[in-house]
Amino acid sequence: MKVQFREKRKPIFLLLIILAMGMVLAACSSDDPKPKASSGSATDIALDLSHVWPPSHAQETVTVKELIADVEEATNGQVKITSYPGASLAASDGQFDAAATGAVDIGFSVNSYNPNQFPLTSVMELPFMSDEGEHGAKVLWQLYEEFPEFEEEYAGTVPLWLFTSDPGQIFTVGKPVKSLEDLKGMRIRSPSAETNEWLTAIGATPVSMPMNETYEALERGVVDGTIAPWEALLGHSLIDVIDYATVGNFYSTTFYATMNEKSWASLGEENQAAIQELTGEKLSMKAAALHDQSGREAVEQAKEKGVEIYELSEEELDEWKVLINPTIEKWIEKVEGRGLSGQAIYDRAVELSAQ
């Protein structure tokens, strides 16, 4: 009877062992497919970085690729980042929301694609704020650090780097722009709400669209021209479809790379410190310097290709500013109307830009 008793319960005993092992494995697993680590943990962390630039663009081949290598080295191989260029994981205007909601770990895109999300950052998109990307990036990062209100714009995320493009010019197809009169009635691709305002004041028709749609729009005649930095002629191949350039250093585009706050918290203090050493103002300046360098190369290639370049004189620019500069007062009023320090931030931006 004892033997029979033991044999009868053997399957039950094995079943209990299997169930217990299953509970242990379940406890060790996570609903989140990305491994998380606390400070000092040796657990590998896989992060995805989604952005809008083409795979061949310097922001992918230099800024992002070098950061990936540097982060892996600085964290002793614990943090591994995979880049997804060309808006393959999220639309151009969806990169921030993707990062904020955790759909991606890091989103890298253009602030003006979400015009209501970044009211303070857009101060650097106002007319004539900077004459080079590197200087604009330094100003923007300093504003972010000085004014706590900026953090609300990036709620749910931790900004890693912020920067500006080289100055924006007017590029057109078929017709040169040498005066305010020339621009009237033309359909011009516009990068931001601020640029929309002064184009409208001049009498042009602004057409809002992301940069990655601009080539086709110019080629098919959907627009007659675009406001863009020189860099875009090479980075987005616009040099192949434009005929004329009007130089006035009209504005700058701003960019952000920001990380989901939960993903950031999962890194642990040591890895956070390592990444902070690599990003912030340092990477902001590096990314902007790439735009500046590409812009200089684009000017030379445009000349070689026969693009007709017209540079507005100071006297001519003064005429343009009569219609363009009211955009600044409207921006201040709009931002102040949201209960934010528009005037103080604009004044500080101007002060920093003059240094």
Side-chain angles (χ1 to χ4, degrees), residues 8-57:
K8 191 174 184 179
R9 282 160 173 72
K10 189 174 181 180
I12 298 175
F13 180 72
L14 290 173
L15 179 60
L16 290 173
I17 291 175
I18 293 169
L19 289 173
M21 290 177 66
M23 292 175 67
V24 170
L25 289 172
C28 292
S29 66
S30 168
D31 291 334
D32 189 338
K34 297 185 181 71
K36 304 300 178 183
S38 59
S39 179
S41 171
T43 304
D44 286 347
I45 301 173
L47 303 175
D48 44 47
L49 191 162
S50 171
H51 69 78
V52 298
W53 280 273
S56 59
H57 197 284

Side-chain angles (χ1 to χ4, degrees), residues 46-354:
L47 303 175
D48 44 47
L49 191 162
S50 171
H51 69 78
V52 298
W53 280 273
S56 59
H57 197 284
Q59 293 302 331
E60 161 68 7
T61 61
V62 180
T63 304
V64 171
K65 290 299 187 186
E66 290 185 1
L67 176 66
I68 289 172
D70 291 344
V71 166
E72 186 164 353
E73 180 180 358
T75 62
N76 297 315
Q78 289 184 33
V79 180
K80 294 178 172 62
I81 302 172
T82 301
S83 176
Y84 296 89
S88 57
L89 291 187
S92 298
D93 61 356
Q95 298 289 329
F96 178 78
D97 285 344
T101 60
V104 302
D105 295 300
I106 302 169
F108 181 16
S109 188
V110 182
N111 293 85
S112 61
Y113 290 168
N114 302 89
N116 296 317
Q117 180 67 45
F118 307 101
L120 300 181
T121 301
S122 68
V123 67
M124 294 307 296
E125 296 171 2
L126 290 173
F128 313 114
M129 289 298 290
S130 176
D131 59 3
E132 66 171 8
E134 200 169 356
H135 184 56
K138 187 176 182 66
V139 172
L140 178 56
W141 189 261
Q142 191 160 342
L143 290 172
Y144 168 73
E145 290 192 320
E146 287 186 15
F147 291 89
E149 297 100 310
F150 272 78
E151 293 183 7
E152 183 59 32
E153 299 189 354
Y154 299 91
T157 72
V158 177
L160 299 180
W161 68 97
L162 308 170
F163 67 103
T164 66
S165 68
D166 56 305
Q169 321 300 342
I170 299 173
F171 300 104
T172 54
V173 179
K175 174 186 174 182
V177 172
K178 299 183 178 180
S179 68
L180 292 167
E181 192 64 31
D182 290 336
L183 201 55
K184 289 182 178 178
M186 295 186 75
R187 296 162 298 172
I188 304 295
R189 175 263 173 188
S190 171
S192 68
E194 287 68 37
T195 306
N196 286 352
E197 285 194 5
W198 62 260
L199 281 172
T200 301
I202 287 172
T205 300
V207 180
S208 297
M209 70 174 64
M211 183 62 75
N212 58 12
E213 297 177 10
T214 304
Y215 182 102
E216 186 175 354
L218 289 166
E219 186 179 43
R220 295 188 174 187
V222 175
V223 294
D224 304 307
T226 180
I227 304 281
W230 279 107
E231 174 278 331
L233 266 62
L234 301 185
H236 294 272
S237 303
L238 301 190
I239 195 169
D240 295 332
V241 289
I242 59 104
D243 302 314
Y244 304 97
T246 304
V247 179
N249 293 343
F250 296 104
Y251 84 105
S252 296
T253 296
T254 63
F255 309 95
Y256 66 86
T258 197
M259 186 171 182
N260 176 269
E261 61 183 2
K262 291 182 180 178
S263 298
W264 176 257
S266 77
L267 294 173
E269 293 179 3
E270 291 182 13
N271 289 333
Q272 287 174 355
I275 291 174
Q276 285 175 324
E277 282 292 317
L278 297 169
T279 55
E281 182 176 335
K282 180 191 298 184
L283 193 54
S284 299
M285 301 281 282
K286 177 180 177 178
L290 284 172
H291 264 60
D292 288 336
Q293 178 60 32
S294 182
R296 289 188 289 269
E297 293 172 2
V299 172
E300 295 307 312
Q301 290 191 33
K303 290 176 180 177
E304 293 173 6
K305 198 173 180 66
V307 173
E308 185 178 313
I309 301 173
Y310 184 79
E311 190 163 350
L312 294 170
S313 68
E314 287 298 323
E315 293 77 15
E316 288 171 319
L317 267 177
D318 286 340
E319 294 179 25
W320 287 62
K321 287 178 180 178
V322 171
L323 294 175
I324 291 175
N325 282 349
T327 298
I328 297 170
E329 282 302 319
K330 290 180 180 178
W331 179 89
I332 293 171
E333 290 175 7
K334 181 171 65 177
V335 172
E336 294 275 353
R338 295 178 64 164
L340 300 168
S341 307
Q343 185 70 60
I345 288 171
Y346 172 74
D347 291 344
R348 181 59 174 153
V350 170
E351 181 184 7
L352 291 170
S353 294

